Amino acid sequence: MTITLKAGGTAMFTGDSITSFERHGGDDPAGYPLQAVGRWCFEHPDRPLTWLNTAHAGDSTADLEARWQTDVLAARPDVLTVLAGINDVGNGRTPDEFAATYARLLAPLAGTPLILVEPFLLPVTTVVQTRRGLIGAPERARWREALDPMIDVVRDLAGTHGATLLAADRLFAELSASTGPEHWTDDGVHPNAAGHSALAEAWYALVD
């Protein structure tokens, strides 16, 4: 389903560090929202919008819920894009907890066009230092097992709420089949420049 962006409307992105693009020592300045917004502004000067990004690095759905009224609902976005889930895995939340919290986030937004982005994890083999310690292939395998049911939750919620699904996990799996996952991410979680461009293109294809 394609979402029409109307002149004068407000389009918001929210979620975690993938959307906020807050980094510690990273050198890529252009996350997928910025790329998508820039392209829209270039191609549609006749339809200016207000663009908002209320994502925070490290946020799970529980963190989003704590600020949902002030960060999202008070702004009354005409279109909302949400990407969350990988930090729910990192924080040890269950799929049922994730589903219940995510559903509460969406409940007040009946009638608002939504783009729900699947959380994703790419099977790179590099070992990286994070605030949770060293993350390598064994840790990613455990995260993958926990993430799969949460991806199913997002797909189900998209159907239940009439939202548009951006199937990011599927997208990166298909792209990685020909290039390898390292072309799209360094750590398996955060896209690099190419990965953000892929997300931006996928998002842009969902709007007109």
Side-chain angles (χ1 to χ4, degrees), residues 144-170:
R144 179 81 247 182
E145 184 177 359
L147 186 65
D148 281 342
M150 295 187 181
I151 293 171
D152 290 337
V153 166
V154 175
R155 293 172 180 169
D156 290 344
L157 287 172
T160 300
H161 291 268
T164 298
L165 178 70
L166 197 168
D169 190 66
R170 190 176 306 149

Side-chain angles (χ1 to χ4, degrees), residues 58-81:
D59 270 8
S60 66
T61 50
D63 298 310
L64 290 176
E65 186 174 32
R67 291 190 295 268
W68 200 245
Q69 179 61 46
T70 55
D71 281 8
V72 176
L73 300 181
R76 297 183 178 179
D78 297 291
V79 178
L80 176 65
T81 300

Side-chain angles (χ1 to χ4, degrees), residues 33-104:
L34 181 59
Q35 292 189 37
V37 170
R39 181 174 171 185
W40 177 269
C41 293
F42 176 74
E43 294 188 1
H44 298 281
D46 58 323
R47 279 193 278 164
L49 289 92
T50 296
W51 300 94
L52 301 176
N53 190 331
T54 60
H56 293 262
D59 270 8
S60 66
T61 50
D63 298 310
L64 290 176
E65 186 174 32
R67 291 190 295 268
W68 200 245
Q69 179 61 46
T70 55
D71 281 8
V72 176
L73 300 181
R76 297 183 178 179
D78 297 291
V79 178
L80 176 65
T81 300
V82 184
L83 169 54
I86 193 63
N87 290 309
D88 290 79
V89 170
N91 293 341
R93 304 192 80 213
T94 68
D96 286 345
E97 290 170 332
F98 175 71
T101 305
Y102 211 138
R104 289 195 299 270

